[in-house]
Amino acid sequence: MMKKLSMTLATVCCCITMITSCVTDNADNPGSPTYSDEPAYTILYYGHGGGNREYYYLKKVADFYNASPDALKRVNVVMQYKFSTTDNLYKQGYFCDDLSDDSEVDSCILYGSKTIRWALDPAKTFNEQAYDPASIYGDDNADHTSPDSLTNFIKWAVKTYPAKKYMLIVHDHGGGYTPNGELPEDGPAAAARRSLVGDDGNLGHHFTAKSFRRALTQANVHFETIFMDACLMNNLEYQFELYDLCDYVIAPTYSKPSIDGAYRMIPEVLGQPMVDVEKALDAYCKACVNSWDIAYGTETDDNTPNYTDMTVTRTANIPQLGKELREFT
């Protein structure tokens, strides 16, 4: 059951919302499709298995391959994904059998805690690319939540697949915000508050608002859109951390389902000629919420509503919001 956040936070989130959905080939440079013109967008996807959501997350990533060929001519999609630990892959049962047709290969051992990096090739399928051992990148069990790891991915993607505009999707669990001071990034005190992505191969180490910002700042790339595809991320603290690094932020306020997510729609809407990005992002968010409503319904029972949302925030007005809020604090 989706639990409703406090009315105060929900009200503040509505205030900050400007648009709402209530709304050379080697291991470090995989080959890519060749286009005659510079693509309009490069979409950078950076995700983790989430410990208990591998099957659903990979189905979402595979949905990129369902975008139309015309859209994929105008939009690059590059991905870096870390699998859960081998133990967690085994616990999910069905995953290891689905991953490989070679009965002599134990896929859970092959991919457990491994990172894969690849660029979407429209001439291939998701399985042909993602489940190709040649896509395995970097050291075993590398910390996916190290700022340097995300920085490295962004720099590689932008250099290898340049485009007019960039969108970053960061996908895994999210821990939201509690009003405590910034805690150490390592050790037992690093509790899951303001957490984004939790690396189950490294004791749940995660991005904090500060370390996530540091990764983006080190990369020195201005994103048109940053999409935090994780629960409880639509809060003021993250908005203020990110406002000068991108033009738009997409994030859910409440807990979100693992299913669907309509990733195929992102290249479709952004790949349109002369796209109105605000309308395109709004349409994507509404499609996500509608799909969740269809799958889960809008109520848990007669008296308990389900809350699902995806919000788009135009960051240009965030500094002004800060000035106004100071009048009340």
Side-chain angles (χ1 to χ4, degrees):
M1 181 177 74
M2 305 295 180
K3 294 184 178 179
K4 185 176 181 181
L5 299 187
S6 69
M7 287 302 296
T8 301
L9 177 58
T11 301
V12 172
C13 287
C14 286
C15 290
I16 69 170
T17 302
M18 315 309 171
I19 312 165
T20 179
S21 69
C22 337
V23 192
T24 15
D25 289 350
N26 53 47
D28 200 40
N29 186 20
S32 69
T34 301
Y35 305 118
S36 57
D37 298 317
E38 182 179 63
Y41 283 87
T42 293
I43 298 169
L44 292 74
Y45 170 90
Y46 192 85
H48 177 50
N52 62 343
R53 293 290 185 267
E54 210 88 36
Y55 176 79
Y56 302 103
Y57 286 7
L58 289 171
K59 284 182 70 68
K60 289 184 69 172
V61 180
D63 196 37
F64 277 126
Y65 287 74
N66 293 324
S68 71
D70 285 343
L72 294 176
K73 289 179 181 178
R74 293 180 52 82
V75 179
N76 287 325
V77 182
V78 293
M79 290 157 279
Q80 183 163 313
Y81 181 91
K82 183 179 179 182
F83 289 93
S84 298
T85 64
T86 295
D87 285 346
N88 278 334
L89 294 182
Y90 278 135
K91 288 176 183 178
Q92 295 179 63
Y94 49 76
F95 176 80
C96 299
D97 294 333
D98 290 350
L99 189 59
S100 175
D101 293 329
D102 186 348
S103 59
E104 296 181 359
V105 175
D106 188 324
S107 299
C108 284
I109 293 176
L110 177 61
Y111 290 101
S113 294
K114 299 289 200 309
T115 297
I116 52 176
R117 177 188 284 188
W118 77 105
L120 190 157
D121 184 343
K124 296 182 178 181
T125 67
F126 172 76
N127 283 14
E128 287 174 332
Q129 291 202 275
Y131 301 152
D132 181 354
S135 295
I136 295 175
Y137 171 81
D139 298 330
D140 289 358
N141 199 31
D143 186 354
H144 205 59
T145 64
S146 164
D148 289 345
S149 178
L150 178 54
T151 298
N152 174 275
F153 171 64
I154 294 171
K155 286 185 173 181
W156 163 78
V158 170
K159 179 180 179 180
T160 313
Y161 305 95
K164 297 172 183 177
K165 298 179 181 179
Y166 300 95
M167 177 181 188
L168 174 66
I169 304 172
V170 182
H171 180 213
D172 189 23
H173 295 302
Y177 176 79
T178 54
N180 298 68
E182 188 73 9
L183 297 177
E185 294 177 14
D186 297 299
R193 49 176 58 89
R194 297 212 289 178
S195 63
L196 175 61
V197 182
D199 190 331
D200 66 344
N202 287 277
L203 302 177
H205 193 196
H206 55 264
F207 288 115
T208 66
K210 296 291 185 183
S211 65
F212 184 51
R213 177 180 171 83
R214 183 162 71 254
L216 301 178
T217 302
Q218 289 174 167
N220 195 31
V221 174
H222 186 87
F223 289 96
E224 181 174 76
T225 305
I226 294 176
F227 177 11
M228 294 180 287
D229 191 0
C231 297
L232 310 173
M233 288 290 105
N234 185 39
N235 54 67
L236 283 170
E237 289 72 27
Y238 264 102
Q239 306 288 0
F240 278 108
E241 293 285 357
L242 300 176
Y243 82 90
D244 58 337
L245 302 175
C246 60
D247 301 324
Y248 301 95
V249 172
I250 304 177
T253 305
Y254 303 101
S255 296
K256 56 175 286 297
S258 299
I259 64 166
D260 200 44
Y263 276 6
R264 65 191 175 280
M265 274 194 66
I266 303 177
E268 295 277 5
V269 298
L270 295 181
Q272 301 172 33
M274 305 299 292
V275 62
D276 182 324
V277 67
E278 294 191 357
K279 290 182 178 179
L281 296 178
D282 189 50
Y284 169 70
C285 289
K286 287 178 178 175
C288 288
V289 174
N290 287 339
S291 72
W292 296 332
D293 286 346
I294 291 170
Y296 289 101
T298 57
E299 294 183 347
T300 301
D301 52 47
D302 291 341
N303 301 311
T304 308
N306 275 330
Y307 291 93
T308 56
D309 78 308
M310 287 275 277
T311 295
V312 186
T313 298
R314 186 190 303 125
T315 60
N317 293 343
I318 294 295
Q320 183 60 36
L321 172 62
K323 292 179 182 178
E324 297 295 332
L325 284 175
R326 288 179 68 88
E327 297 295 323
F328 301 95
T329 59

